[in-house]
């Protein structure tokens, strides 16, 4: 009993005394509370900085930060703001006469904030912290080409109804090729995603040949999975597990055969409905074999709908004559409502006369149907009309030639040109360049009529499946029969009945396990043979007659290992062969090419062979020689000298891997219209850079030379100089001799044909242009790209700035590691109006870059990067010809960089400011500013003199768009920086999302305050 009363007494004392003690501490221990407040605030700020660092790392990984993290940050900022107010009040209380009374109430509030900060510190562990941002899904696909006709709407609504009810898990959408199945499936997928009927909507094209690995990988990518398994079986099982977890709509487009879902990793049975599959196919039988529980047929367009579509593409309007409209309606009736036919015929007749329309209708009405499935007769006739309506015979031949390539294949136009010489009639009596120009004109015609489409890769085209089918049909009945296919049994090629009258054979095989294919071809009419394989190839003798008419032979092995090719003896002597393309092969002895006297194109790109045949110089018709990235095992001759004796050559692509052969000086290539000649050593970075440069700047002629060794005074008399004079891209590495400049030493006339110039490790080059030795000619008038790297003797780019070098076409300028460069000296007459990218690094003697007059022309400059230029004092000189930059002769309003988006300045320790105020206020496009490790920098915008508005009373900031696009501002390790911009022109930053400011101890608080409160600021790190 006593213990009971004792415990009660203890509690009474605890509840009575504890509050008294708390109040006593509020009165007596105020300074302890204040000290704890500061310590807990510091700890919370450190925790916040750590969390913000994790947020930046997550953003760089393209991940989304979880909402609890964002809420925690907002709570922290709110508490820290309240703590800062408390600290101000503490300072005031310490000076107050009513200290005790004020301290008491303030200590109670401090205790509450301290408790709150401690709790926030404890709550700073988040799991998960962030998640991967999903791909845009079906929103990626545009709806511009979609017309919601009533006939389409019925199928659309039916599909959505099935998906909403989740009554079936396997749906088939069938219809004619070109009827709009793919477009409709995408629209249904977009609507299902919008309605949130499924957790994910994924679409992939199946097509032919069937590529299980590609299809599976596309599904994995769209689901955002990061699978560790490398083997197909492991990836398939892991994908199957994922598809069983959440509801997914999987759209498999253009299915041609029954798919093995286990190989793909798609779980399917009739009772399992988490993964719903929608397939599109031209065949109802395919849908049935794949156990589709619902098969929906896509109807063709009604007459009214077809009229709407046709008039849109044929440009028939209300003001068109009634007679023209009458013929147009008859044409539409023959198209039978097939969208691809309507679009193609309408496009073909766009802008044509009524006579053309009447002729088109007559041809459609009288076409003779083929023995094919019901429903395809009239559409074939429609597309044949588009073919016959082409006024260009070459365009017709090219369309047939394109049908040799597989469905959905991106056709390289250069391949089309080289392989098509035996099939088409372009340029038979002209130069290769004229022939190629004719081909591109014909391709443009085909694309404008929608018979060809632009592929994803520049320079490539694609064919619609139905257009390809019709082209093959036309070729067959026009005496140019084509045999093409994937995974074809080689024994078929020896079947006389099948191969009868075939003019072209194109086989795209996918051999398993690097197998070996033996082709026995018996086809006396054959003119083109294309063999692409993933295994070794052997072409055996059946009879010499098989190759009598052969004009093009192209073979490529895609395998990394088995690249062996064996050609029949009779084929090695094909007397009419005009194009021989043997790519990525191990060829061994290629002396047989010496016997091919009709050869015009010899393409051995990427192949390995024993010796370079000496007698190719006797091939009088050889116009294109491609030895790019080839390996010659045995050096029997000097390649440049042999190639130089091929007098008919018009195009040369020469780059020998693992060759120490230096560039010859006494070889003449004056007849070459196109060339890529290279002897520089291989590195991945250089390969990527040079390939990029050639694609952008050098369509015809590139010369990449290492260790070119000849006295400068002798260069002008060398036969080889012609290659230098005509090159569009010139890359000189480790230039020998005594070349101190490029102009005039290499070309006194100014190299005005050059689009790109790259100099690297040229130890004796002192300047690019020495106009004291040159005539008054214009120089580098076409130059778009200039890269100067590791030129240890380069002192200035232009010697004597009075020369006629305006650089009006220069787009990219890169200068790196030029230790003696003290003056870029952009000419006072320079017109840098097209310069977009300027990068200068590791030039320790440079003191300035531009004079104000040259800045005026930088109207398109988008990226400016300067790093490790320790002597740089000004980006733009303040004084020009003894006149202040603000003099009457140089109006500040004329200085403009209105397109500048990216500004990076790093490790320029002598630089005091970046741009003057008059330049800064015109940076309306600036998006990213990164300033690092510039120890002498005091100001970013505006110099010391410009801090005082009174110095320039006429200055007015009228452009409210200044810095309105600035999204990222990084200021790091700037120990002497005082301010970012003058107080009188501090901007509003409505789009600032990333702010990082560390290592700037002298930076004024007022300079950063406006940015901290930017409305869209997502990330910030401030640490003075």
């Amino acid at each position: 009993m006593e213990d009971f009363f004792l415990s009660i007494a203890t509690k009474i004392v605890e509840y009575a005394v504890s509050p008294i003690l708390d109040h006593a501490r509020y009165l007596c221990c105020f300074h302890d509370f204040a000290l704890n407040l500061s310590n807990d605030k510091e700890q919370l700020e450190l925790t916040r900085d750590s969390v913000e660092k994790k947020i930046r790392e997550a953003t760089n990984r393209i991940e989304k930060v979880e909402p609890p993290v964002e809420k925690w940050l907002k709570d922290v900022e709110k508490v820290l703001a309240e703590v800062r107010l408390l600290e101000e009040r503490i300072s005031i209380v310490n000076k107050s006469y009513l200290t005790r009374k004020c301290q008491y109430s303030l200590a109670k509030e401090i205790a509450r904030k301290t408790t709150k900060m401690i709790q926030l510190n404890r709550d700073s562990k988040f799991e998960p912290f962030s998640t991967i941002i999903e791909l845009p899904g079906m929103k990626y696909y545009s709806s511009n080409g979609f017309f919601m006709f009533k006939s389409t709407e019925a199928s659309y609504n039916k599909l959505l109804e099935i998906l909403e009810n989740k009554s079936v898990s396997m749906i088939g959408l069938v219809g004619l090729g070109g009827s709009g199945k793919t477009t409709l499936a995408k629209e249904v997928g977009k609507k299902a995603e919008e309605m949130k009927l499924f957790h994910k909507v994924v679409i992939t094209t199946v097509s032919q040949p069937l590529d299980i690995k590609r299809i599976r990988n596309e599904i994995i990518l769209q689901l955002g999975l990061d699978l560790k398994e490398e083997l197909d079986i492991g990836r398939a099982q892991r994908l199957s597990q994922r598809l069983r977890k959440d509801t997914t709509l999987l759209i498999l487009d253009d299915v041609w055969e029954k798919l093995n879902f286990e190989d793909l990793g798609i779980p399917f049975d009739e009772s399992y409905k988490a993964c719903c599959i929608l397939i599109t196919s031209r065949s109802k039988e395919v849908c049935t074999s794949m156990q589709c529980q619902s098969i929906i047929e896509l109807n063709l367009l009604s007459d009214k709908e077809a009229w709407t579509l046709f008039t849109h593409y044929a440009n028939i309007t209300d003001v068109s004559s009634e007679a023209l409209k009458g013929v147009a309606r008859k044409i539409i009736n023959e198209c039978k409502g097939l969208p691809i036919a309507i679009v193609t015929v309408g496009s073909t007749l766009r802008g044509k006369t009524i006579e053309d329309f009447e002729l088109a209708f007559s041809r459609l009405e009288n076409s003779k149907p083929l023995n094919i499935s019901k429903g395809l007769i009239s559409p074939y006739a429609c597309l044949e009309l588009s073919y016959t309506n082409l006024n260009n015979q070459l365009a017709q031949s090219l369309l047939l030639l394109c049908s040799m390539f597989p469905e959905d294949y991106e056709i390289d136009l250069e391949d089309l040109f080289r392989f098509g010489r035996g099939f088409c009639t372009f340029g038979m009596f002209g130069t290769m360049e004229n022939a190629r120009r004719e081909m591109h004109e014909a391709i443009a015609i085909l694309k404008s009529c929608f018979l060809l489409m632009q592929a994803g890769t520049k320079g490539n085209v694609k064919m619609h499946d139905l257009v390809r089918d019709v082209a093959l049909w036309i070729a067959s009945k026009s005496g140019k029969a084509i045999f093409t296919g994937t995974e074809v049994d080689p024994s078929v090629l020896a079947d006389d009945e099948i191969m009868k009258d075939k003019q072209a054979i194109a086989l795209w095989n996918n051999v398993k396990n690097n197998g070996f294919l033996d082709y026995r071809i018996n086809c006396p009419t054959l003119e083109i043979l294309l063999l692409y394989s993933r295994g070794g190839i052997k072409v055996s003798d059946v009879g010499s007659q098989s190759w009598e008419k052969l004009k093009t032979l192209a073979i490529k092995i895609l395998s990394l290992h088995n690249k062996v090719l064996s050609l029949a003896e009779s084929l090695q002597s094909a007397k009419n062969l005009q194009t021989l393309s043997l790519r990525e092969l191990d060829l061994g002895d290629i002396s047989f090419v010496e016997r091919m006297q009709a050869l015009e194109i010899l393409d051995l790109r990427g192949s390995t062979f024993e010796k370079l045949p000496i007698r190719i110089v006797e091939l009088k018709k050889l116009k294109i020689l491609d030895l790019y990235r080839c390996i010659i095992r045995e050096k029997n001759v000097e390649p440049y000298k042999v190639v130089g004796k091929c007098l008919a050559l018009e195009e040369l692509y020469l780059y020998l891997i693992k060759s120490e052969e230096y560039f010859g000086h006494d070889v003449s290539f004056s007849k070459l219209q196109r060339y890529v000649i290279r002897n520089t050593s291989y590195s991945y970075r250089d390969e990527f850079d040079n390939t990029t440069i050639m694609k952008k700047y050098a369509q015809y002629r590139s010369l990449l030379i290492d260790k070119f060794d000849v006295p400068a005074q002798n260069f002008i008399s060398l036969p080889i100089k012609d290659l230098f004079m005509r090159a569009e891209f010139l890359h000189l590495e480790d230039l020998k001799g005594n070349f101190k400049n490029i102009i005039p030493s290499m070309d006194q006339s100014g190299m005005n044909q050059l689009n790109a110039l790259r100099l690297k490790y040229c130890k004796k080059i002192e300047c690019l242009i020495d106009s004291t030795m040159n005539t008054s000619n214009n120089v580098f008038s076409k130059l778009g790209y200039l890269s100067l790297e590791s030129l240890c003797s380069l002192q200035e780019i232009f010697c004597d700035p009075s020369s006629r070098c305006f650089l009006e076409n220069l787009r990219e300028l890169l200068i790196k590691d030029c230790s003696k460069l003290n003056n870029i000296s952009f000419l006072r007459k320079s017109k840098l109006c097209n310069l977009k990218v300027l990068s200068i690094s590791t030039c320790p003697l440079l003191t300035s870059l531009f004079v104000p007059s040259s800045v005026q022309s930088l109207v398109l400059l988008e990226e400016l990067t300067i790093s490790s230029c320790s002597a740089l004092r000004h980006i733009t000189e303040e004084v020009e010809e003894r006149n202040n930059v603000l003099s009457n002769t140089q109006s500040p309003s004329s200085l403009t960089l209105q397109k500048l988006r990216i500004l990076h300045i790093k490790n320029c320790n002598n630089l005091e400011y970046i741009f003057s105020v008059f330049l800064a206020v015109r940076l309306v496009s600036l998006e990213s500013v990164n300033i690092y490790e510039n120890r002498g920098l005091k100001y970013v915008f505006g110099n010391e003199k410009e801090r005082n508005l009174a110095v320039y009373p006429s200055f007015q900031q009228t452009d409210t768009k200044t810095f309105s696009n600035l999204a990222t501002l990084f200021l790091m390790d700037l120990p002497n920086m005082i301010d970012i911009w003058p107080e009188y022109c501090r901007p509003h930053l409505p789009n600032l999302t990333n702010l990082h400011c560390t290592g700037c101890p002298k930076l004024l608080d007022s300079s950063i305050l406006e940015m901290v409160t930017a409305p869209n600021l997502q990330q910030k790190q401030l640490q003075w």
Side-chain angles (χ1 to χ4, degrees):
M1 180 66 81
E2 290 179 357
D3 291 338
F4 174 75
F5 285 110
L6 181 60
S7 64
I8 292 176
T10 302
K11 285 292 181 182
I12 292 172
V13 170
E14 179 182 341
Y15 285 117
V17 174
S18 182
I20 295 173
L21 291 175
D22 288 340
H23 287 288
R25 283 197 299 271
Y26 297 151
L27 285 170
C28 303
C29 303
F30 174 80
H31 293 291
D32 291 339
F33 279 99
L35 181 61
N36 290 339
L37 179 72
S38 178
N39 292 338
D40 291 334
K41 173 193 172 188
E42 183 178 353
Q43 184 59 44
L44 184 59
E45 286 176 334
L46 290 173
T47 305
R48 177 202 61 187
D49 292 345
S50 176
V51 171
E52 288 180 337
K53 181 180 178 182
K54 290 181 180 179
I55 290 176
R56 288 194 301 276
E57 291 172 349
T59 302
N60 290 337
R61 294 192 302 267
I62 318 179
E63 294 180 356
K64 180 181 179 183
V65 176
E66 290 294 303
V69 181
E70 296 176 340
K71 183 180 183 304
W72 182 89
L73 268 180
K74 290 180 180 178
D75 292 343
V76 168
E77 293 300 334
K78 180 180 179 182
V79 168
L80 289 177
E82 293 169 352
V83 168
R84 284 191 285 270
L85 293 176
L86 272 178
E87 288 176 333
E88 292 177 4
R89 290 173 60 190
I90 290 170
S91 177
I92 296 172
V93 165
N94 287 334
K95 301 175 184 179
S96 173
Y97 292 105
L98 303 175
T99 302
R100 285 292 179 187
K101 182 177 180 181
C102 295
Q103 285 181 347
Y104 173 82
S105 61
L106 194 54
K108 291 178 65 177
E109 190 169 349
I110 291 173
R112 288 195 295 271
K113 297 303 178 187
T114 301
T115 303
K116 179 66 174 176
M117 287 192 290
I118 292 172
Q119 186 61 43
L120 284 169
N121 255 319
R122 290 172 180 169
D123 294 341
S124 62
K125 310 298 182 187
F126 301 96
E127 189 61 39
F129 188 89
S130 60
T131 56
I132 297 175
I133 297 176
E134 294 183 355
L135 294 172
M138 299 305 297
K139 294 178 184 176
Y140 175 80
Y141 300 101
S142 170
S143 299
N144 291 339
F146 181 68
F147 290 80
M148 182 61 87
F149 295 121
K150 284 188 177 181
S151 53
T152 309
E153 189 175 14
S155 300
Y156 176 88
N157 291 335
K158 181 63 175 176
L159 284 168
L160 277 181
E161 180 184 348
I162 295 172
L163 296 177
E164 280 188 274
N165 295 337
K166 301 189 186 302
S167 55
V168 298
S169 56
M170 190 74 170
I171 311 166
L173 177 62
V174 297
L176 285 174
S179 59
K181 300 183 296 297
T182 300
T183 303
L184 179 59
K186 287 179 179 178
E187 290 301 315
V188 169
K190 289 175 70 173
K191 189 63 176 180
E193 188 177 74
E194 180 185 322
M195 296 171 65
K196 300 184 184 318
L197 299 180
F198 297 88
H199 182 259
K200 286 289 294 183
V201 178
V202 174
I203 184 169
T204 182
T205 302
V206 176
S207 192
Q208 286 184 317
L210 183 62
D211 189 342
I212 294 292
K213 182 177 290 188
R214 175 189 61 79
I215 297 167
R216 187 195 308 115
N217 287 341
E218 287 183 3
I219 297 172
I220 289 171
L221 175 66
Q222 293 179 64
L223 289 174
L225 303 182
D226 183 14
L227 303 187
K228 307 301 181 185
E229 293 79 5
E230 295 183 0
L231 295 178
D232 289 345
I233 183 64
R235 295 175 71 83
Q237 291 180 4
R238 192 67 70 188
L239 174 59
S240 180
Q241 288 178 336
R242 167 61 181 83
L243 292 174
R244 292 178 184 275
K245 285 187 176 181
D246 297 308
T247 57
T248 304
L249 173 59
L250 181 56
I251 303 174
L252 302 176
D253 183 45
D254 196 20
V255 178
W256 286 81
E257 61 188 88
K258 183 179 180 180
L259 302 178
N260 188 322
F261 282 160
E262 284 186 2
D263 289 347
L264 283 168
I266 300 174
F268 175 74
D269 58 65
E270 292 188 6
S271 61
Y272 180 74
K273 297 178 181 178
C275 179
C276 183
I277 302 169
L278 169 60
I279 71 169
T280 72
S281 179
R282 298 185 188 185
S283 171
K284 186 181 292 186
E285 289 72 21
V286 169
C287 294
T288 302
S289 68
M290 294 184 65
Q291 304 176 40
C292 288
Q293 296 121 327
S294 178
I295 299 176
I296 299 172
E297 293 187 23
L298 181 57
N299 296 324
L300 297 178
L301 303 182
S302 67
D303 290 343
K304 183 177 180 181
E305 293 164 346
W307 172 254
T308 301
L309 194 62
F310 184 84
T311 55
H312 173 79
Y313 283 97
N315 196 29
I316 296 177
T317 64
D318 292 340
V319 298
S320 299
S321 69
E322 290 300 320
L324 183 66
K325 291 178 183 178
V327 180
R329 291 189 183 279
K330 294 178 181 179
I331 292 173
I332 293 170
N333 184 55
E334 292 295 323
C335 289
K336 305 299 181 186
L338 182 63
I340 186 64
I342 295 169
V343 169
T344 306
V345 176
S347 300
T348 302
L349 293 174
R350 188 180 183 90
K352 298 291 181 69
T353 64
I354 189 171
E355 288 78 14
D356 295 319
F357 274 65
E358 289 173 342
L359 180 59
F361 170 66
S362 175
R363 290 177 177 173
L364 278 172
E365 187 180 41
N366 296 312
S367 61
K368 295 181 179 181
L370 293 173
N371 185 24
I372 57 174
S373 301
K374 185 178 180 181
L376 289 179
I377 297 174
S378 292
Y380 266 50
C382 289
L383 290 172
E384 186 185 21
L385 168 65
S386 298
Y387 170 84
T388 54
N389 236 16
L390 291 169
N391 297 324
N392 188 300
Q393 184 180 354
L394 176 57
Q396 291 181 325
S397 297
L398 286 172
L399 185 66
L400 304 186
L401 184 64
C402 286
S403 68
M404 294 192 303
F405 294 89
E407 290 180 349
D408 298 318
Y409 189 88
E410 290 201 3
I411 305 168
D412 188 303
L413 291 181
E414 184 61 22
D415 286 350
L416 196 66
F417 173 74
R418 296 188 184 188
F419 301 162
R421 291 285 291 174
F423 199 77
C424 304
T425 57
F426 52 89
M428 295 305 295
F429 304 105
T431 64
M432 288 290 179
E433 195 55 49
N434 286 337
R436 191 181 279 104
R437 190 176 296 114
E438 289 177 24
M439 183 197 73
H440 282 285
E441 291 175 357
I443 291 293
I445 293 172
L446 292 171
K447 289 166 69 175
S448 68
C449 294
F450 293 91
L451 292 172
L452 287 181
M453 302 176 289
Q454 179 62 49
T457 304
K458 183 180 179 181
N460 292 2
V461 294
K462 292 179 70 174
M463 292 187 85
H464 188 281
D465 293 352
L466 184 61
V467 175
R468 177 178 178 272
D469 293 342
V470 172
L472 289 170
W473 170 67
I474 293 172
S476 178
K477 70 172 191 170
S478 63
K480 294 185 176 182
I482 298 171
F483 182 85
T484 181
T486 57
E487 300 186 15
V488 176
D489 186 343
S491 63
V492 174
L493 302 180
D495 189 314
D496 293 344
E497 192 61 33
I498 296 177
M499 292 295 107
K500 182 181 179 181
D501 299 329
K502 293 295 184 290
Q503 192 169 348
I505 296 175
L507 303 181
W508 315 87
N509 286 289
N510 186 10
V511 180
K512 296 180 180 179
N513 302 320
N514 291 318
F516 198 87
L517 286 176
D518 186 359
Y519 294 98
R520 294 178 176 271
I521 300 173
N522 184 20
C523 185
T525 59
L526 188 64
E527 294 187 7
I528 296 180
L529 176 60
L530 306 183
L531 301 175
Y532 274 45
S533 171
R534 295 190 182 275
I537 290 178
K538 180 179 181 181
V539 183
S540 301
D541 272 316
V542 176
S544 59
Q545 291 183 346
S546 296
W547 317 120
E548 281 189 356
K549 294 186 177 181
L550 189 67
K551 297 178 181 178
T552 297
L553 174 62
I555 301 177
K556 182 176 181 179
I557 295 180
L558 306 176
S559 169
L560 294 176
H561 306 290
N562 189 359
K563 292 178 173 288
V564 178
L565 172 67
S566 175
L567 292 178
E569 184 67 28
S570 58
L571 181 56
Q572 295 180 14
S573 304
K575 60 182 181 181
N576 291 311
L577 196 66
Q578 297 177 6
T579 297
L580 178 62
S581 176
L582 305 175
R583 299 179 184 171
E584 309 291 342
L585 303 171
D586 189 345
L587 297 172
D589 181 10
I590 60 167
S591 59
F592 62 86
V593 301
E594 297 174 338
R595 302 193 294 272
M596 298 179 174
Q597 291 300 312
L599 203 62
E600 295 184 351
I601 301 174
L602 178 58
D603 179 354
L604 304 178
R605 181 169 290 234
S607 291
T608 300
F609 45 91
E610 295 298 328
K611 299 178 182 179
L612 181 65
I614 300 176
R615 293 177 58 193
I616 62 170
V617 300
E618 298 176 8
L619 301 180
K620 305 302 182 184
K621 296 184 179 180
L622 187 63
K623 297 181 179 180
I624 297 179
L625 178 60
D626 193 335
L627 299 177
Y628 203 77
R629 287 189 297 104
C630 286
I631 297 176
I632 303 178
R633 291 195 177 98
E634 182 180 337
K635 181 182 177 181
N636 58 319
V637 292
E638 293 184 17
Y640 293 105
K641 290 186 177 180
V642 173
V643 173
K645 295 179 181 178
C646 297
L647 301 181
L649 271 188
E650 297 177 11
E651 300 181 17
L652 173 63
Y653 307 89
L654 181 59
Y655 176 29
L656 302 179
I657 306 291
K658 300 180 181 180
S659 172
E660 297 181 357
E661 181 74 23
Y662 292 137
F663 193 67
H665 306 154
D666 54 352
V667 182
S668 175
F669 293 101
S670 58
K671 292 185 179 180
L672 292 182
Q673 297 181 3
R674 290 191 179 213
Y675 55 84
V676 178
I677 301 174
R678 175 179 176 183
N679 78 334
T680 57
S681 57
Y682 178 86
S683 75
Y684 175 80
R685 184 67 207 178
D686 268 358
E687 184 76 12
F688 176 81
D689 289 345
N690 287 326
T691 300
T692 303
I693 293 168
M694 284 189 278
K695 286 182 178 179
K696 291 176 65 174
Y697 296 102
Q699 183 179 358
Y700 303 111
R701 296 175 293 277
S702 296
L703 187 62
L704 300 87
I705 301 300
D706 187 14
K707 297 179 177 61
F708 184 72
D709 189 3
V710 65
Q713 60 270 24
N714 297 341
F715 177 79
I716 197 70
S717 61
L718 293 177
I720 202 67
K721 76 176 180 64
D722 180 71
L723 290 179
F724 288 77
M725 301 302 100
R726 297 190 297 121
E728 295 171 314
F729 171 37
L730 180 61
H731 176 174
L732 298 177
E733 191 166 326
D734 195 8
L735 181 63
K736 304 295 185 181
N738 56 344
F739 287 92
K740 295 183 178 181
N741 57 68
I742 300 300
I743 295 177
S745 294
M746 284 192 172
D747 184 6
Q748 294 185 0
S749 61
M751 283 193 169
N752 289 301
Q753 80 295 333
L754 200 62
N755 295 332
L757 174 62
R758 192 177 185 195
L759 302 180
K760 190 174 181 180
Y761 304 126
C762 300
K763 298 177 182 178
K764 294 188 178 181
I765 292 291
E766 296 179 359
C767 64
L768 196 63
I769 304 169
D770 189 348
S771 58
T772 62
M773 304 167 59
N774 191 23
T775 64
S776 59
N777 294 333
N778 289 342
V779 295
F780 292 139
S781 59
K782 293 183 179 180
L783 194 67
Y785 177 95
L786 176 60
S787 174
L788 308 173
E789 182 177 349
S790 300
L791 307 181
C792 60
S793 298
L794 186 71
Q795 298 178 18
E796 55 185 345
I797 297 180
F798 309 103
C799 181
D800 182 13
S802 63
S803 67
R804 297 170 62 83
C805 181
F806 300 135
L807 302 175
E808 62 266 30
N809 288 302
L810 190 65
R811 284 185 278 171
E812 298 180 66
L813 173 60
L814 292 81
I815 304 175
K816 180 180 180 181
D817 193 18
C818 297
S819 57
K820 293 185 180 179
L821 182 64
N822 57 53
N823 184 12
I824 293 181
S825 64
F826 285 107
L827 313 179
R828 284 166 171 75
K829 296 181 180 180
S830 293
K831 301 175 182 178
L832 305 173
C833 51
N834 285 298
L835 188 65
K836 292 186 176 182
V837 178
L838 174 60
S839 176
I840 301 176
S841 63
T842 321
C843 297
L845 298 184
L846 271 182
T847 58
S848 66
L849 300 186
F850 305 106
V851 294
S853 58
S854 60
V855 176
Q856 293 177 59
S857 65
L858 296 173
V859 292
L860 294 182
L861 186 65
E862 297 181 4
E863 299 181 26
L864 176 60
T865 301
I866 309 171
S867 66
S868 301
C869 296
S870 55
L872 190 68
R873 297 189 61 202
H874 306 290
I875 294 177
T876 303
E877 289 184 7
E878 293 184 345
V879 178
E880 179 181 10
E881 295 180 353
R882 299 183 180 180
N883 289 325
N884 189 282
V885 88
L886 299 175
S887 68
N888 294 331
T889 61
Q890 183 62 57
S891 170
S893 62
S894 65
L895 304 179
T896 176
L897 295 172
Q898 294 190 4
K899 297 292 184 180
L900 188 66
R901 297 186 302 105
I902 299 173
L903 175 64
H904 287 183
I905 312 291
K906 180 180 180 181
N907 196 21
C908 298
N909 293 327
N910 213 23
L911 195 63
E912 292 190 4
Y913 70 97
I914 309 299
F915 290 130
S916 70
V917 170
F918 298 99
L919 267 176
V921 296
R922 290 170 177 83
L923 301 178
V924 294
S925 301
L926 198 61
E927 299 172 5
S928 175
V929 175
N930 293 267
I931 314 294
Y932 296 92
E933 301 172 8
N934 299 283
R935 298 192 173 278
L937 193 72
K938 294 181 179 180
Y939 312 103
V940 179
F941 303 112
N943 56 35
E944 185 80 45
K945 188 176 181 181
E946 292 174 329
R947 314 320 288 175
N948 186 359
L949 180 60
V951 176
Y952 303 118
S954 61
F955 177 84
Q956 292 183 354
Q957 183 183 357
T958 58
D959 193 347
T960 59
K961 295 181 180 180
T962 302
F963 300 108
S964 60
N965 290 306
L966 187 64
T968 300
L969 177 60
F970 274 38
L971 305 172
M972 295 179 61
D973 297 328
L974 308 171
N976 290 300
M977 191 172 73
I978 300 171
D979 209 345
I980 300 175
W981 28 59
E983 184 176 358
Y984 59 83
C985 67
R986 284 180 182 155
H988 299 291
L989 305 171
N991 290 306
L992 186 66
T993 56
N994 297 289
L995 172 62
H996 186 107
C997 182
T998 59
C1000 306
K1002 296 183 181 180
L1003 182 62
L1004 297 174
D1005 293 349
S1006 58
S1007 183
I1008 207 85
L1009 183 62
E1010 189 82 23
M1011 294 182 289
V1012 174
T1013 58
N1016 292 312
L1017 191 62
Q1018 297 174 3
Q1019 297 185 45
K1020 63 180 178 181
Q1021 180 176 348
L1022 307 177
Q1023 185 176 349
W1024 274 244

